Amino acid sequence: MSRADDENDGQATERVVIRDRRKIDVKGKDTTVTKEAEESMEAKRGAHRAAEDFEDEVTPTPGLGAELEALRTDVEERTRDLQRVTAEYANYRKRVDRDRSTAAEQTTGSVLTALLPVLDDVDRAREHGDLVGPFAAVAESLGAVVGKLGLVAFGEKGDPFDPTRHEAVAHLTSADVTEPTCVEVMRRGYTLGERLLRPALVAVADPA
């Protein structure tokens, strides 16, 4: 091959070399897309880092489960103690109220028991027709007061005989009754609530 041919080959080779010397427009569309992609990737990386940080925060430390269980047990024990103390206090209040009520009833009963002879005198005066004038007004006021305190009189002729409420001082038989019956009341009985202050003195007739 001649030197001319070599030169021609070199020129042919140089002619197929492509050199792109164009300048890139940084304000072009391709550059804008690249920035959006970078921002999206940065946002994804930020979200990934936030997720990792959250996992680090919620990851239980060694021994935390045992500590929580111990706290839960302690709270349950304190709750049971509080419930027990509350129940004991409620029972104490009930007992105190009951004792106070019993003491008040006993005191009232003692006062009323001391007044029973006066009430007996009033009953006898009424039976004899002597309950008149100012004495009648006093007797009526006394009866109203003891009634407000809860005193209740019982014992009337014709009442069925009740050994828990009547004290029989005489017995007789009668064809007019079908069961033991109070045919005469010598002294009325009194109750205070469910408490028997004094039984009634009666004469009892049994069926013949």
Side-chain angles (χ1 to χ4, degrees), residues 150-208:
L151 185 68
V152 177
F154 68 91
E156 300 291 340
K157 291 182 180 181
D159 290 344
F161 175 72
D162 183 356
T164 62
R165 292 163 57 89
H166 300 131
E167 182 178 346
V169 295
H171 281 272
L172 54 94
T173 58
S174 174
D176 297 332
V177 297
T178 59
E179 62 178 349
T181 304
C182 300
V183 293
E184 187 177 353
V185 179
M186 291 79 167
R187 188 185 68 187
R188 290 200 298 175
Y190 290 93
T191 59
L192 177 62
E194 297 181 356
R195 179 184 175 188
L196 178 65
L197 291 184
R198 189 183 72 181
L201 294 180
V202 298
V204 181
D206 298 319

Side-chain angles (χ1 to χ4, degrees), residues 15-83:
R15 281 196 297 273
V16 300
V17 174
I18 299 173
R19 300 180 181 277
D20 190 356
R21 299 180 180 276
R22 291 177 298 172
K23 295 183 180 181
I24 299 174
D25 186 4
V26 296
K27 298 182 181 180
K29 181 178 180 181
D30 294 340
T31 303
T32 303
V33 173
T34 302
K35 287 184 179 181
E36 291 179 352
E38 290 180 354
E39 291 177 355
S40 176
M41 293 181 62
E42 183 63 26
K44 291 181 180 179
R45 286 194 295 269
H48 182 67
R49 287 194 299 269
E52 290 180 349
D53 295 340
F54 178 75
E55 291 179 356
D56 293 339
E57 291 178 358
V58 300
T59 301
T61 59
L64 182 59
E67 184 177 354
L68 290 175
E69 185 64 26
L71 290 174
R72 185 179 296 109
T73 301
D74 185 55
V75 169
E76 291 176 353
E77 291 179 354
R78 298 295 177 85
T79 301
R80 287 193 296 269
D81 291 341
L82 179 60
Q83 292 174 346

Side-chain angles (χ1 to χ4, degrees), residues 137-155:
V138 173
E140 185 177 351
S141 298
L142 178 61
V145 170
V146 297
K148 289 181 180 180
L149 293 175
L151 185 68
V152 177
F154 68 91

